[in-house]
Amino acid sequence: MNIAVFASGRGSNFQAILNAIQQGYLPARVTVLITNKADAGASEIARAQNIPAVQISQTKFSSEDAFAQELLDLLRNHQVELIALAGYLKRVPSRVVRQYHNHIVNIHPALLPAFGGPGMYGHRVHEAVLESGAKVSGATVHIVDEEYDRGPIVMQQAVAISNDETPDSLAAKVLTVEHEIYPRALKAFAEKRIHIEGRKVWVTSSP
Ligand code: GRF
């Protein structure tokens, strides 16, 4: 399975995906990294691994449609079958979401449908979780549709919140779990073990 990773930041999930591929766990290839920022850590990782990295930002295009067309051309040229958003802070144009229907996934650092939506990223998520008094948080892999953090849930894993938890300590705990479940979810896609019916997603076990 050919994957495009979209990232805006440090790229630790991108690295976890590459590790899973190198270890023979994930039967896939990352054929292109797409980033909106020149200085994204993810671009460094791509360079070090000889993975084509393309920096592309909607601000350089006259319309969303022109941007979508460029993205679709890039995805086709790199024979992309699945898009994995990994800390990508921009909205994916609707045309791309439609064309890759049920073939775009995202990792979110909380247990959706709580603590998601516009503006809920980075530390804000962990601060909101702690302010709510919740006793668990976790990571969610979900399908991307046209609404932020609202697509069908593919996989989740919880972490316990301790009495002295801080946003930093919670972020670190959740990130460890993200690095486990994202490769696991992508492996299920690659092995065609994901079944989607409306909002319900089933993952069947490995043969
Ligand atoms: C992760 O916490 C992910 O859940 C969120 O953005 C962060 C990206 O981190 N969507 P990294 O760039 O993969 O290290």
Side-chain angles (χ1 to χ4, degrees):
M1 181 179 67
N2 288 342
I3 301 175
V5 172
F6 282 41
S8 304
R10 77 194 143 180
S12 72
N13 278 286
F14 175 37
Q15 183 67 65
I17 292 167
L18 294 177
N19 292 347
I21 293 171
Q22 275 149 18
Q23 287 156 11
Y25 172 77
L26 172 58
R29 271 194 323 156
V30 176
T31 55
V32 64
L33 169 80
I34 292 181
T35 177
N36 59 304
K37 280 192 178 173
D39 58 351
S43 312
E44 289 299 313
I45 296 170
R47 255 190 294 280
Q49 306 272 338
N50 282 322
I51 293 169
V54 179
Q55 190 215 330
I56 176 169
S57 151
Q58 185 165 342
T59 54
K60 306 263 162 62
F61 291 83
S62 54
S63 65
E64 177 173 299
D65 201 55
F67 176 53
Q69 188 56 56
E70 183 70 23
L71 278 177
L72 288 170
D73 289 346
L74 261 170
L75 295 168
R76 198 190 46 242
N77 291 342
H78 291 278
Q79 297 172 354
V80 171
E81 300 167 88
L82 188 93
I83 298 172
L85 308 185
Y88 186 64
L89 296 176
K90 298 287 174 185
R91 208 177 60 80
V92 178
S94 303
R95 239 178 97 198
V96 178
V97 173
R98 283 198 299 273
Q99 187 135 338
Y100 278 81
H101 179 63
N102 286 344
H103 288 82
I104 309 181
V105 285
N106 181 42
I107 179 106
H108 184 76
L111 295 175
L112 294 175
F115 308 111
M120 270 293 181
Y121 61 88
H123 254 239
R124 296 190 204 174
V125 178
H126 305 296
E127 278 157 16
V129 169
L130 292 182
E131 271 163 31
S132 78
K135 300 299 178 214
V136 290
S137 188
T140 302
V141 177
H142 66 96
I143 306 279
V144 172
D145 63 13
E146 298 201 26
E147 262 186 284
Y148 267 110
D149 300 331
R150 280 283 166 209
I153 292 171
V154 177
M155 212 172 266
Q156 293 186 302
Q157 192 165 316
V159 301
I161 293 176
S162 56
N163 292 337
D164 58 354
E165 205 74 59
T166 65
D168 276 344
S169 66
L170 183 55
K173 264 188 200 171
V174 170
L175 194 63
T176 305
V177 164
E178 291 182 37
H179 296 164
E180 285 171 32
I181 69 164
Y182 214 3
R184 201 187 305 151
L186 294 173
K187 179 179 170 70
F189 271 97
E191 294 175 350
K192 305 208 182 314
R193 291 185 288 106
I194 301 269
H195 312 280
I196 305 169
E197 257 177 50
R199 294 204 56 81
K200 296 229 172 119
V201 180
W202 286 270
V203 182
T204 45
S205 46
S206 296

